[in-house]
Amino acid sequence: MRANLSWILLAAPLLVHAAEPLKLQRAPLPNPPWPAGDERGMANQIGAATWNRCAWHLTLPGAQAYELSQIRSNTMPLSPFAGPYAMKAKPTAGIPMTAHVFNMDQINEGADPGQQGTQFDALGHFGALRQPWDGKTALPAEQAAYYGGFAQHDVKPTPDSSLARLGVEKAPPLITSAVLLDAKAHVGKGQPMKAGELVTVKHIEEMLKAQGLGFRGILPGDVVYVHTGWGDHWRDPDTEKFYYSKAPGLAYEAARYLADKRIVAIGLDTPFIDAVPEGMLAGKGAPAEGTPPALPFAVHHHMLTQAGIHHLENIKLDELARDRVWLSCTMVLPLREKGAAGSPIRPVAIGAATQAVRK
């Protein structure tokens, strides 16, 4: 018995160091409902409590910085919902009567950089109609409702106006603790999850337990990253045109579950966050199982228009998962582009590999 007790006492510090101290985990955060006219959603929770959780991870022995973005280029996989992406270098220029030369770039019209590569969805990216549109008559955009009860005329007053409400500039810097769930290991058994395959509530709870996070769980103010392995299909140059054609994703019930946990953002190594089965984008296949009628992108609908939770798409998670960095400090900084519906981002995670934490 005494020997067993000794082993328990020796193991205790390992468990303590696997997650933030209880004092930091239980620090109070602002609670919804948010004031009328709110445009920040769950990001209202970002502040001293999330920064302190974040800072704790920076102090761990062996902590490393991990890049969570894919390198952007003209030949990277491109969204089927956006235009071509062509960054073009200008010739070296000079300034008369000086010894200076300088270099600049330009981008093509219609490139939609905020929805290409590793990117961030503003809350105004998605709205919801009162009833499904038949695709034959004119789109009744004036009926759209957005997060916080804003109407179309509040968010997008004219067809060619930028977002007057819920634009990306309203999002604060997301500096908080992050939880990584390794669905490639747990659901895919070491292989990338298949197109249309779902990460469910049951999977989330099992992954938390398997990764030693059962006691901590998912805290209000966390960013949740899900490593599905689909990022293994990212190719540059994208000659196969495979990555954006389909993908695994988060189950609708899991989106509701995470929203109830009050996370501030969800990020996957996939292009959609929603699962997209084979043929769905071409109208030749049904949405994923459990998707509500007329809402094929139900996770987008719930997270953005109902819960006020940002989407982080095409996140690079292979190195974080390889090193078993289940908890980290993450920093996600969208551009303050006034009225934009999305933004390119360069998110990072700083944390210690499991092996380093448990020394």
Side-chain angles (χ1 to χ4, degrees):
M1 176 69 180
R2 186 172 297 172
N4 290 339
L5 181 59
S6 297
W7 278 110
I8 291 171
L9 292 174
L10 285 171
L14 306 183
L15 297 175
V16 169
H17 290 297
E20 308 92 343
L22 287 178
K23 181 179 179 180
L24 296 182
Q25 292 184 36
R26 294 176 179 173
L29 278 74
N31 286 311
W34 314 119
D38 172 61
E39 298 184 60
R40 289 165 61 113
M42 289 297 183
N44 279 294
Q45 298 172 104
I46 296 294
T50 67
W51 299 337
N52 286 334
R53 290 204 309 245
C54 208
W56 183 84
H57 292 283
L58 304 182
T59 67
L60 290 177
Q64 297 181 55
Y66 293 83
E67 294 280 1
L68 304 185
S69 59
Q70 300 284 2
I71 294 176
R72 302 172 72 86
S73 80
N74 293 350
T75 54
M76 67 183 177
L78 296 177
S79 168
F81 299 106
Y85 184 91
M87 184 72 70
K88 183 178 179 181
K90 293 182 177 180
T92 299
I95 303 174
M97 310 305 292
T98 77
H100 299 301
V101 297
F102 60 91
N103 296 296
M104 296 178 68
D105 309 289
Q106 62 186 10
I107 195 167
N108 62 294
E109 185 178 355
D112 204 353
Q115 297 297 328
Q116 300 281 23
T118 302
Q119 54 95 194
F120 178 101
D121 283 346
L123 298 185
H125 177 49
F126 254 55
L129 296 172
R130 296 173 192 163
Q131 58 187 19
W133 173 48
D134 61 14
K136 299 175 182 177
T137 56
L139 176 70
E142 70 282 355
Q143 297 179 10
Y146 293 82
Y147 169 77
F150 290 112
Q152 179 75 6
H153 62 80
D154 300 314
V155 175
K156 198 169 173 65
T158 65
D160 57 354
S161 67
S162 56
L163 301 186
R165 296 275 195 168
L166 305 175
V168 74
E169 80 279 9
K170 304 299 174 59
L174 302 186
I175 301 174
T176 186
S177 47
V179 176
L180 173 67
L181 300 175
D182 194 357
K184 177 182 177 181
H186 182 78
V187 183
K189 308 302 180 186
Q191 298 299 316
M193 291 177 62
K194 298 178 178 63
E197 198 169 7
L198 295 168
V199 176
T200 66
V201 172
K202 183 172 184 289
H203 291 147
I204 292 172
E205 293 176 341
E206 289 172 348
M207 286 186 281
L208 288 170
K209 183 177 179 180
Q211 295 174 203
L213 302 175
F215 178 77
R216 180 197 186 275
I218 295 168
L219 300 178
D222 276 344
V223 167
V224 173
Y225 292 122
V226 182
H227 176 234
T228 69
W230 195 255
D232 294 358
H233 300 303
W234 179 278
R235 300 283 187 273
D236 192 355
D238 181 25
T239 56
E240 299 171 346
K241 307 299 180 186
F242 178 87
Y243 176 82
Y244 258 107
S245 65
K246 52 197 169 186
L250 195 66
Y252 176 63
E253 51 135 15
R256 296 177 66 91
Y257 169 88
L258 292 174
D260 288 343
K261 296 289 185 182
R262 289 170 37 203
I263 67 170
V264 297
I266 176 71
L268 272 67
D269 57 342
T270 69
F272 308 111
I273 308 294
D274 288 89
V276 174
E278 182 86 45
M280 175 182 148
L281 292 183
K284 298 178 180 178
E289 183 180 354
T291 301
L295 292 172
F297 292 96
V299 176
H300 271 71
H301 169 76
H302 189 74
M303 293 293 205
L304 295 174
T305 75
Q306 307 300 302
I309 294 171
H310 293 288
H311 278 190
L312 315 175
E313 297 173 353
N314 304 315
I315 303 295
K316 188 178 185 297
L317 296 171
D318 55 335
E319 293 175 334
L320 210 60
R322 177 200 65 198
D323 290 351
R324 297 162 57 85
V325 183
W326 307 140
L327 296 174
S328 64
C329 167
T330 195
M331 302 181 189
V332 183
L333 308 176
L335 301 179
R336 301 182 72 194
E337 191 78 44
K338 186 174 182 178
S343 171
I345 48 171
R346 185 184 179 179
V348 298
I350 303 172
T354 299
Q355 297 89 332
V357 172
R358 293 186 177 179
K359 284 183 180 177

